[in-house]
Amino acid sequence: MMRRRDTYHIYLIIIPLLWVSKSWALPSYARQTGAPCAQCHTIAFGPQLTPYGRQFKLNGYVWGETKGSIPLSLMAVAGYNQTSKDLPEAPAPHFSTNDNFALNELTGFIAGRITQHMGAFIEAAYSGVERHTAWGAFDVRYARTGQLGGKGIVYGVSLNNNPTVTDLWNSTPVWSFPYTGSHLAPGPGAAPVLFDGISERVLGPNVYMMIDDHLYLEAGAYKGMSDNWLDKVGLSAEENLHLDGLATYWRAAWQFDKDRSSYSIGVLGLNVKQQPDPAARLTDRYSDIGFDATYQFAGDNGISATGNLLYVHETRHLDAAFAAGESDSSANHLNQLQLDATIAWHQTWVGSVGWFDTTGSNNAGLFPAAEIDGSANGSPNSRGYTLQLEYVPFGKTNSFGAPWMNARFGLQYKGYQRFNGGSSNYDGFGRSASDNNTLFVFAWLAI
Amino acid sequence: MQKQQAGFALILLLGAGGALADECAFQVTGGDAIRFDQRTLEVPGSCLQVALTFRHVGHSAARVMGHNWVLAKSKDVSAIANAGAAAGLERNYQPTNDPRIIAATKVVGGGESDTVTFSTAELRPGEDYTYFCSSPGHWSVMKGKLVFRAASKEKLAATTSR
């Protein structure tokens, strides 16, 4: 019913994991730099980067004078989830229709300096839901510093497998709130391709440059992986995207700071063309363009706050899907807006709220009625919120076991006001959007 | 009586002189976190020389979480910082003989300090100066503004005559 990854039609993304499977603060970086996780992350342990953390990533994960640090880390996320109303059938083998405990992932990382100017963030994850191991985020980058017009610049190239995995801010999909979540609860059926639509099934280089610590520019191209390579990284041939040519990604952002606050605004885009049937020259094209903004405050009194905004508009020309009778029309669009805000006290007690709204063209071919995951009216429209409270006991400057010991414990509640086009009987089988509201109690550990 | 008055005057003069000297001596601290304790330093225009002491109040060794204090025009900071990161700890994360660096301490670790004394002859009132730690990446958050105030003629005359 719910799958980790879609088949070759991107618009079939019915993946609750769009909202999860994010990453992380890595103890191997802390060991390499000698700095606690809290130096790079606004919360002692977790993905939100501080200005220093952004510099560390920008410069290729290579900083640190600590000798003999091993660039390996291990992480586990496990949790209990309870959906408001039982599912009609178990969401995955070995699980019940509700009230499940699951190991979301057990992930190994190669993360740290490879050479003086080259570093890596590479993950391989075992999913306790799918009971399967595959690669995850892959970002190997080479970075140098220099001058341009008297201004300092950092420039580099990243070989990676997911648009926005290279990004420095926490507004863009790979690193955006809520960072973790249930892998067993239903999730909305539509999202722009920028939201992990081609993740881990492509590989390509991105070149980037930060000018005077203000202007960030990035451009990249991705090639779809062959069946053979997909098999090598733990995926399967049915997950082949069948890209026609290269998928292109671009990004520009401006960042600045004032006193204890830092800000960024930016734009980004992704263009993907698929050729589902090699015998037919028809293609499906997806063009995403987005706007994002971030705010971060780190007070002297132990209070920190962050806010992120992302809006993405996707234009779809689904000639192949239309010809195959899988789409009602060739031209479609999809919009997604997401906002989140977090406040933390001494990087230990953390409260967060997030909100999203997805709207788009009605299309019964793309969004047919189906129990739980379908839409009775062929609409992709969904809207919901996330409330999260966390306790982060380790990973700070003088906390126990630093930098080896890292843990985060949380309560997450995800609520839906609209789900796949409706608030009541949205799927045509009598289910309401609020029936998918989910409580997730989690523990997130790393060494 | 005249002797007493002269004595009072001497004490007042010495006191005033001491106060002026204190205005030209600064101490900035940093620790195991990437942060200075002060975000602004105001240098009176009457100071012909400034003594700046940077003290590392943390526990980490210099190779782990070392800091320094570097002064430059704000427009030069990113270029100096990038070149400094490449220079390495053995060069105190500073490009060698870089004329854009107005003053700098060496990199110190926990419990250590270093003092730099520099002339204000190069400083101009109204110019935008930034002090920062040039350890890799620290400058993105570990920085502050140095404001050089214009001196009143009377104060400057008093200072130069001492």
Side-chain angles (χ1 to χ4, degrees), chain A residues 33-36 39 51-52 55 63 65-67 145-147 150-154 212-213 257 259-260 298-300 397, chain B residues 32-36 39 60 63-65 75-76 78-79 82-83 85-86 88-89 93 100 136-141 143:
Chain A
T33 61
Q39 296 290 7
Y52 175 73
Q55 287 280 341
W63 287 343
E65 300 281 343
T66 304
K67 307 296 183 194
T145 57
Q147 287 191 53
K151 301 295 185 187
I153 60 170
V154 181
D212 199 27
D213 201 36
D257 61 72
D259 298 327
R260 294 290 186 204
D300 291 324
T397 305
Chain B
D32 292 333
I34 301 176
R35 177 175 287 195
F36 284 132
R39 295 182 68 82
S60 301
R63 66 177 175 79
V64 174
M65 187 50 71
K75 65 183 179 63
D76 296 330
S78 65
N82 284 341
L89 176 60
Y93 296 120
R100 295 170 299 185
H138 294 196
W139 67 286
S140 59
V141 282
K143 61 185 175 183

Side-chain angles (χ1 to χ4, degrees), chain B residues 8-9 15 41 63 83 119 158:
Chain B
F8 266 126
L41 298 176
R63 66 177 175 79
S119 166

Side-chain angles (χ1 to χ4, degrees), chain A residues 269-307:
Chain A
L270 177 65
N271 295 288
V272 178
K273 188 158 70 170
Q274 290 181 290
Q275 187 184 359
D277 181 359
R281 289 302 304 167
L282 295 173
T283 60
D284 294 329
R285 287 181 291 132
Y286 304 80
S287 298
D288 287 13
I289 185 165
F291 167 83
D292 74 303
T294 69
Y295 170 74
Q296 193 174 100
F297 170 78
D300 291 324
N301 56 359
I303 300 289
S304 67
T306 57

Side-chain angles (χ1 to χ4, degrees), chain B residues 7-160:
Chain B
F8 266 126
L10 184 60
I11 290 168
L12 285 172
L13 189 60
L14 287 173
L20 284 173
D22 286 347
E23 287 177 353
C24 306
F26 297 86
Q27 177 170 286
V28 175
T29 67
D32 292 333
I34 301 176
R35 177 175 287 195
F36 284 132
D37 66 331
Q38 297 175 64
R39 295 182 68 82
T40 307
L41 298 176
E42 293 200 13
V43 177
S46 56
C47 294
L48 298 180
Q49 289 217 313
V50 170
L52 186 291
T53 299
F54 173 70
R55 188 177 303 280
H56 192 311
V57 296
H59 304 284
S60 301
R63 66 177 175 79
V64 174
M65 187 50 71
H67 301 304
N68 61 0
W69 185 94
V70 179
L71 178 65
K73 290 180 180 175
S74 297
K75 65 183 179 63
D76 296 330
V77 169
S78 65
I80 296 170
N82 284 341
L89 176 60
E90 61 275 15
R91 294 191 180 89
N92 290 298
Y93 296 120
Q94 294 163 33
T96 307
N97 298 324
D98 192 320
R100 295 170 299 185
I101 296 177
I102 297 168
T105 70
K106 66 181 183 183
V107 173
V108 296
E112 301 173 333
S113 66
D114 189 38
T115 300
V116 60
T117 302
F118 59 97
S119 166
T120 60
E122 281 188 54
L123 304 182
R124 298 285 174 269
E127 180 71 67
D128 189 8
Y129 297 104
T130 292
Y131 62 87
F132 61 99
C133 172
S134 65
S135 291
H138 294 196
W139 67 286
S140 59
V141 282
M142 201 168 180
K143 61 185 175 183
K145 292 289 185 185
L146 185 142
V147 179
F148 183 57
R149 297 290 181 202
S152 66
K153 288 179 181 174
E154 295 77 14
K155 210 165 187 179
L156 192 58
T159 308
T160 50

Side-chain angles (χ1 to χ4, degrees), chain A residues 359-384:
Chain A
T359 57
S361 312
N362 273 33
N363 192 322
L366 289 181
F367 311 110
E371 193 165 17
I372 304 292
D373 290 334
S375 172
N377 57 10
S379 167
N381 296 358
S382 295
R383 183 191 301 141

Side-chain angles (χ1 to χ4, degrees), chain A residues 47-118:
Chain A
Q48 290 239 49
L49 292 175
T50 62
Y52 175 73
R54 288 195 284 272
Q55 287 280 341
F56 180 77
K57 182 174 181 178
L58 180 74
N59 282 272
Y61 310 112
V62 300
W63 287 343
E65 300 281 343
T66 304
K67 307 296 183 194
S69 65
I70 301 169
L72 299 175
S73 285
L74 196 63
M75 184 186 72
V77 182
Y80 163 83
N81 82 291
Q82 183 183 67
T83 303
S84 183
K85 184 179 178 182
D86 290 358
L87 300 172
E89 59 183 84
H94 314 291
F95 290 95
S96 303
T97 55
N98 206 346
D99 302 306
N100 287 299
F101 178 84
L103 173 65
N104 273 16
E105 60 181 286
L106 179 62
T107 304
F109 296 87
I110 300 172
R113 179 174 47 226
I114 299 171
T115 68
Q116 184 182 0
H117 298 291
M118 181 183 287

